Amino acid sequence: MTKIVQPPANTLVEGISSEELKSVAVEFVASGPDGVRTFRDYMGFCLYGEGYNGPRDPTEIGYYTSGRARIGSGDFNTAPELSPLFGIRVAHLITNRWEQMGKPAGFQIIEQGAGNGTLAHHVMQELHHSSPDLAEEAAYVIVEKSPVLKRNQQALLDGSRVEWKDEEEVSDVTGVHISNELLDVFPVHYLRIGPDGITELQVGTDGQNLVETWGNPSRPLEFAAYFDLSGDNLMPGDRIVNLQMLEWLAATASKLKDGSIITVDYAPQPDQKIGLVAHYGPEGNKPGARYEKPGELDITTQVDFAILKKFAERLEFERVEVETFRNLFGRLQNNPSDIARERDWIMRSSRLRCQMHSQHIGDYEWEFIGHKALILQKSSNQAQDG
Ligand SMILES: C[S@@+](CC[C@H](N)C(=O)[O-])C[C@H]1O[C@@H](n2cnc3c(N)ncnc32)[C@H](O)[C@@H]1O
């Protein structure tokens, strides 16, 4: 029976206080070129301790790497934490793909950025329930950057056939690469287009506090290529530039021999621009929170699926699609007993009101509003077929 998983209590790294985190952040920015860091580098430091080479273990600094991130239990909710339905749908998508591919041997399910391990847990349970032959055949591999979250995943998934690998160890994949809310935590550059040109947000210090400054663009050629790809009209305003998302897509595509990449994330509403850097955590809404609580809050951005799609179209995929969450995952089963079970979960998940945009729509569909998925498909026969 599929059960709703309670997120494990994260193992917090002891011995690093808010004051120390802030003073380490001040040292970090002060030791950057000209005493500043780009917002991108500051975000990488806050989330993962990236770039830090002081006396502490860098993983103790980052919100994700230290285990301070409380996913599904305080800071923010994600689709796997809201309901097992998400994992069930992902399991069905994976099964369909496996069948379409002719049930190849050596099939792998790679999940990158697995948080508490909840999605893996639900996917494995559903595969055992509805596709036992695939559950038997498939290797489930998690690629996780946070050592603490990895330990939590290992505790939850103890006894199941899941392996953990570093990103570099993944290659020649025949199977499905899945990620949920991974791209929104990639560190981004923050640019401002003004009448006198483009400037980039930097973080500096007045000696005690972190302060914002603006400087010349750190990677002008890459930013120009990004704007070119997105068809940006360069009208005045702020821009979020997620170069890591494109680098990730190119690298992940090159590792996929045969199969699919599915990445799910939150996207801007039709009338919104990607210009938002949101903070989650108990004090996330306070002005200046991102500079007051380095390493203690999530910093995240919406994902620009239009640019991801355009970039994917340049790579060798036979299918490149962006789907709404509702179209891809939102339909209930036809089987009446499954409908009863699933409606029960929807009712429960709709009580988890932390995530404001979570609700069920109508009787037979559910939705995670604003979330979308990029679906890419590659076949090793493509060259011969094409
Ligand atoms: C917002 S959480 C989402 C967790 C989970 N997928 C969910 O939906 O609940 C982002 C996750 O991605 C991980 N992460 C961030 N960058 C990563 C990378 N480059 N490779 C692997 N994991 C990464 C974080 O440590 C965390 O587990």
Side-chain angles (χ1 to χ4, degrees):
M1 195 187 118
T2 308
K3 64 177 190 288
I4 294 182
V5 184
Q6 292 304 323
N10 284 349
T11 326
L12 287 171
V13 174
E14 300 294 337
I16 186 155
S17 64
S18 296
E19 291 70 32
E20 188 176 354
L21 279 171
K22 190 163 165 194
S23 81
V24 168
V26 166
E27 275 167 38
F28 170 74
V29 300
S31 64
D34 300 322
V36 294
R37 300 279 182 170
T38 60
F39 180 77
R40 188 241 166 263
D41 288 350
Y42 177 70
M43 185 168 165
F45 167 86
C46 290
L47 299 185
Y48 313 108
E50 272 173 9
Y52 172 77
N53 56 9
R56 286 255 175 208
D57 172 353
T59 63
E60 289 177 84
I61 312 280
Y63 171 77
Y64 282 104
T65 47
S66 66
R68 280 184 290 275
R70 293 175 309 149
I71 307 168
S73 60
D75 288 358
F76 57 89
N77 259 313
T78 54
E81 300 299 340
L82 284 175
S83 168
L85 267 175
F86 179 62
I88 289 173
R89 287 292 172 274
V90 170
H92 296 170
L93 277 182
I94 294 171
T95 305
N96 286 346
R97 192 70 188 107
W98 181 58
E99 287 169 353
Q100 277 169 5
M101 288 166 67
K103 304 188 174 183
F107 190 85
Q108 296 187 63
I109 303 165
I110 314 278
E111 185 188 350
Q112 187 166 0
N116 295 322
T118 312
L119 176 62
H121 180 75
H122 290 146
V123 168
M124 297 289 277
Q125 273 190 329
E126 182 58 17
L127 290 181
H128 281 290
H129 171 73
S130 60
S131 320
D133 44 350
L134 176 56
E136 194 50 42
E137 172 64 38
Y140 200 112
V141 175
I142 292 183
V143 175
E144 173 54 59
K145 185 165 177 149
S146 161
V148 176
L149 289 175
K150 182 174 164 183
R151 283 203 294 279
N152 290 348
Q153 294 158 13
Q154 286 169 335
L156 177 68
L157 298 163
D158 187 30
S160 57
R161 290 176 48 226
V162 176
E163 298 168 62
W164 282 261
K165 287 190 178 171
D166 290 338
E167 204 170 346
E168 312 72 59
E169 293 177 290
V170 174
S171 62
D172 275 342
V173 176
T174 293
V176 173
H177 188 291
I178 173 98
S179 51
N180 187 60
E181 299 212 25
L182 170 70
L183 277 48
D184 68 69
V185 291
F186 284 171
V188 291
H189 295 269
Y190 195 111
L191 301 183
R192 179 159 290 166
I193 303 180
D196 300 325
I198 301 183
T199 48
E200 178 166 3
L201 180 61
Q202 302 169 330
V203 184
T205 172
D206 62 9
Q208 279 189 317
N209 293 301
L210 298 164
V211 294
E212 289 190 342
T213 65
W214 293 87
N216 289 328
S218 58
R219 292 165 76 173
L221 295 180
E222 281 134 303
F223 299 153
Y226 194 91
F227 291 145
D228 200 34
L229 183 64
S230 66
D232 198 308
N233 56 13
L234 302 183
M235 293 293 280
D238 291 358
R239 304 290 194 281
I240 296 288
V241 176
N242 194 337
L243 294 178
Q244 189 175 330
M245 155 178 109
L246 304 187
E247 288 154 9
W248 168 83
L249 186 51
T252 308
S254 72
K255 291 171 186 184
L256 183 72
K257 208 164 68 182
D258 203 343
S260 295
I261 298 172
I262 302 173
T263 191
V264 183
D265 226 302
Y266 75 109
Q269 300 297 304
D271 54 347
Q272 268 183 331
K273 274 195 163 174
I274 312 267
L276 183 83
V277 175
H279 308 92
Y280 294 104
E283 300 186 53
N285 290 328
K286 285 197 180 160
R290 70 176 88 145
Y291 304 119
E292 280 305 316
K293 299 274 178 192
E296 293 188 75
L297 300 176
D298 196 14
I299 307 179
T300 165
T301 62
Q302 298 154 325
V303 168
D304 186 340
F305 279 90
I307 197 166
L308 263 182
K309 184 168 187 254
K310 285 188 187 167
F311 188 71
E313 281 162 353
R314 295 181 169 181
L315 305 172
E316 287 181 0
F317 289 106
E318 65 194 28
R319 176 182 172 206
V320 176
E321 266 172 48
V322 173
E323 268 291 7
T324 61
F325 190 95
R326 180 180 178 175
N327 281 348
L328 201 59
F329 304 111
R331 308 217 188 280
L332 290 193
Q333 295 278 6
N334 294 325
N335 179 326
S337 68
D338 283 344
I339 287 181
R341 181 180 73 153
E342 297 191 358
R343 285 180 67 171
D344 179 48
W345 285 328
I346 290 170
M347 295 312 288
R348 290 192 209 197
S349 72
S350 65
R351 283 194 207 116
L352 291 172
R353 278 276 165 208
C354 315
Q355 188 77 30
M356 297 294 287
H357 45 258
S358 153
Q359 64 179 58
H360 62 277
I361 287 183
D363 271 348
Y364 298 103
E365 287 182 337
W366 73 301
E367 162 79 310
F368 206 31
I369 294 171
H371 279 61
K372 289 188 177 171
L374 175 75
I375 304 130
L376 305 172
Q377 207 161 295
K378 195 190 249 187
S379 156
S380 52
N381 299 324
Q382 223 166 309
Q384 293 98 298
D385 293 349

